[in-house]
Amino acid sequence: MTKPRDKRVPRRTGSLIWRQSGWHARFWTVVDGEPMRVIRPLGTTLKPVAAKKLARLVAEASQGVQGAAESARAETVAEAGRRILEGRDVRDRGNDLIRFRLHVAPHIGPLLVTEVKPAHVRGALEALASLGRSRATIVHVRRVMSVVFDTLWRDELIAENPVSRVRAPRGKVDTRERAVLIDAELARYLAWAHPDDRHKTGVLQRQTMACVSRMFGGVRTGDLHALEWSALETEAGKFSFGWAPRKKTARPQLLEVPEMLRPILRDWWERHGRPTSGLVFPSLTGEHAGVGSKGGVSHAGAMRRDLRRAFGVDAWDGIQWHEARKLTPREVELFEGTTHVKPVDFHSWRRAFAQALADSGSTAQQAQQLTGHASLSAHQRYLVNTSRMRQLPAGALPDLTVRAWPVPQLESRFHETASFWRAPKDSNLRPSDSKSDALSS
């Protein structure tokens, strides 16, 4: 009796064949239930790209995928975006993935990369503009899309980069200054504790993060999320120095911890069992609560809510919060914003740190180093709200003291002109005549 033929695909890796039109793949697959060796064009002249395509074809063929056309189908934008962005070794990779997931994938994620046209890209960006997103956000999203499609174009997976034909819409441009808490307001915030035990830890964490950002190099929110106990001198609770992560510039910076900040850090450290490793400010909710890092979260709304309660705008009746009084003009600036001022956000602590350095007399170079700014121009954007930028120096004012004039005739003319403007209404002199007499020379 003849043994039935084994129709399984042989375990082979396939091979690449060069032809005039580019690289081709030769591999085994199943066609109409029969194993068959086929040759398919890969649409590229780059051997590394062709090798990746061949490996994918062979893997899919070994799983019984029928038809080379289905095996060689293009990726969707969602698939390509995740693959490319996760594989990039850049400092802002996490933020780019968040931007792609929130602002790109919902609009063009299901499309095949070969189907995307400039109109699709323009539509995704205009959707952001219609939602009132800032121009900075729109520019960042366009950059992320350009990174994805430029990589696909360089790998010869698409004919052109559709993003290159699209300009970022203007979006919402807000040129108002950002409100910054003064020292007395910070002290009032730190003295407040949430009356509900369930929320005390969350409030205390935000207060501690605010102190670290305000006094430890003006670290950004992303740096706070990445800060670990191993980066601080936890031995015996000294906290005399620490490494600021500086994720944006990828340059960790060794800084002295001010004495004012040390007891605040020590208290937070002792509350968590004096750890020597792990995150200083981990996520407090979700499946990774207590150990996982925070991601894609904003503390601005929660902090403004805390401030309203700390300032007595909202009152606790034992069950819920309710508005106890109207906002003062200053509180309107902080919590809601005005025509000239944007409401306070968590990045305001970094602004306060930079502005305090300028007001203390630090040079621009010293302040730039302490804030970790990559350039002096980046640092100067934080200084528009300093007291030195608001007060005109006395030496810049004109000297209008008459006695200081050295020419007696000028002093005489000044008094004559002044007496004319003080002349009584029933004077015999007509205003025009008196003015011409007083000012003639």
Side-chain angles (χ1 to χ4, degrees), residues 241-273:
F241 67 87
W243 287 89
R246 305 298 189 200
K247 289 187 64 179
K248 189 171 183 179
T249 59
R251 297 176 182 175
Q253 185 180 17
L254 181 63
L255 295 173
E256 179 185 5
V257 177
E259 291 187 8
M260 184 182 297
L261 179 60
R262 293 173 190 174
I264 299 174
L265 276 174
R266 190 177 300 114
D267 174 73
W268 183 251
W269 175 63
E270 291 176 348
R271 287 174 181 269
H272 290 78

Side-chain angles (χ1 to χ4, degrees), residues 287-325:
E287 59 178 318
H288 301 295
V291 293
S293 61
K294 299 176 181 289
V297 296
S298 172
H299 305 291
M303 186 183 72
R304 287 193 289 266
R305 186 171 60 246
D306 292 344
L307 290 171
R308 286 178 61 96
R309 298 166 180 176
F311 288 8
V313 177
D314 295 336
W316 175 255
D317 62 6
I319 300 177
Q320 60 183 2
W321 293 92
H322 61 88
E323 188 173 2
R325 61 173 177 82

Side-chain angles (χ1 to χ4, degrees), residues 11-82:
R11 291 183 175 274
R12 299 182 182 180
T13 58
S15 59
L16 293 175
I17 301 176
W18 172 259
R19 292 185 177 177
Q20 188 175 2
S21 58
W23 289 104
H24 287 60
R26 181 168 62 186
F27 61 99
W28 286 87
T29 186
V30 176
V31 179
D32 295 331
E34 295 289 336
M36 183 177 298
R37 189 166 63 177
V38 297
I39 298 177
R40 293 290 183 265
L42 295 176
T44 180
T45 58
L46 299 177
K47 190 171 183 179
V49 177
K52 291 181 180 179
K53 286 189 170 185
L54 173 63
R56 186 176 57 162
L57 291 173
V58 171
E60 293 179 350
S62 64
Q63 297 173 1
V65 178
Q66 296 187 4
E70 174 63 20
S71 298
R73 73 168 181 85
E75 293 177 292
T76 64
V77 174
E79 294 169 345
R82 286 193 297 268

Side-chain angles (χ1 to χ4, degrees), residues 347-361:
H347 199 72
S348 296
W349 302 119
R350 178 167 173 79
R351 293 186 183 89
F353 178 78
Q355 292 165 8
L357 289 175
D359 290 335
S360 67

